[in-house]
C-alpha cells in the first residue's frame, strides 16, 4: 500500500524452506522494484538459524530498501531482537509493536517520485 509492501507470515515455525518460499513470493510480487517492507511476524513462534541467515543474505534482502518487523508478544519481540543482534541485516531494520508506527518509520525510505 502506498509504496510500502506488507507481508504477513502465517507460518508458526520458520525453517529454511519456508524462508525461501517467503522470499520467492516477495520477489515475484515486487516485479523487480525495491520497496520498504513491513513484516507482520505476530504469528511466528520460532525461526531456525538457517532461515535467519537466509533472510539476512543478499538473496533475502534483494529489492528491499528497509524493513519494519511487527511483533506484539514477548516471544515475538525476543525473536525479532535476536535476529537484529545476531544476524545484523544489511539494510535498515527496526522492531515495532505498533503497525502504524512501523509505517510512519518506513515513509522515509519510500522512493521519491520524479
Amino acid at each position: 500500500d502506498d509504496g510500502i509492501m506488507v507481508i504477513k507470515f502465517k507460518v508458526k515455525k520458520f525453517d529454511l524452506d519456508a524462508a525461501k518460499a517467503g522470499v520467492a513470493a516477495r520477489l515475484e510480487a515486487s516485479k523487480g522494484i525495491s520497496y520498504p517492507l513491513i513484516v507482520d511476524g505476530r504469528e511466528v513462534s520460532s525461526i531456525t538459524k538457517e532461515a535467519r541467515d537466509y533472510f539476512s543474505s543478499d538473496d533475502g534482502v534483494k529489492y528491499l530498501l528497509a524493513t519494519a518487523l511487527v511483533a506484539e508478544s514477548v516471544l515475538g519481540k525476543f525473536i525479532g531482537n535476536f535476529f537484529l543482534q545476531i544476524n545484523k541485516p544489511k539494510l535498515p531494520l527496526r522492531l515495532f509493536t505498533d503497525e502504524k508506527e512501523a509505517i510512519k518509520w518506513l515513509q522515509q525510505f519510500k522512493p521519491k517520485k520524479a
Side-chain angles (χ1 to χ4, degrees):
D1 322 15
D2 191 33
I4 296 175
M5 185 177 283
V6 179
I7 292 178
K8 181 171 182 156
F9 289 138
K10 304 237 181 205
V11 176
K12 296 267 185 220
K13 297 182 179 187
F14 254 99
D15 60 12
L16 181 58
D17 289 338
K20 286 183 175 182
V23 169
R26 180 184 56 77
L27 291 174
E28 184 178 327
S30 73
K31 297 182 171 96
I33 299 170
S34 296
Y35 290 94
L37 174 71
I38 290 181
V39 175
D40 182 340
R42 290 179 270 204
E43 294 187 31
V44 176
S45 61
S46 69
I47 182 169
T48 65
K49 179 188 182 317
E50 293 80 14
R52 289 192 322 270
D53 290 346
Y54 184 73
F55 280 132
S56 62
S57 71
D58 289 340
D59 287 340
V61 300
K62 189 173 184 178
Y63 300 130
L64 293 179
L65 300 172
T67 301
L69 177 60
V70 179
E72 292 176 339
S73 70
V74 172
L75 178 62
K77 289 186 266 187
F78 176 79
I79 291 170
N81 281 317
F82 188 80
F83 178 76
L84 286 170
Q85 292 174 0
I86 301 300
N87 293 90
K88 304 200 185 316
K90 300 170 184 162
L91 54 92
L93 188 143
R94 281 189 55 192
L95 180 64
F96 294 87
T97 56
D98 181 273
E99 191 169 332
K100 290 179 184 170
E101 288 298 314
I103 291 170
K104 184 178 175 183
W105 178 74
L106 285 174
Q107 295 295 327
Q108 66 185 306
F109 300 102
K110 288 174 32 178
K112 306 292 184 246
K113 294 183 181 180

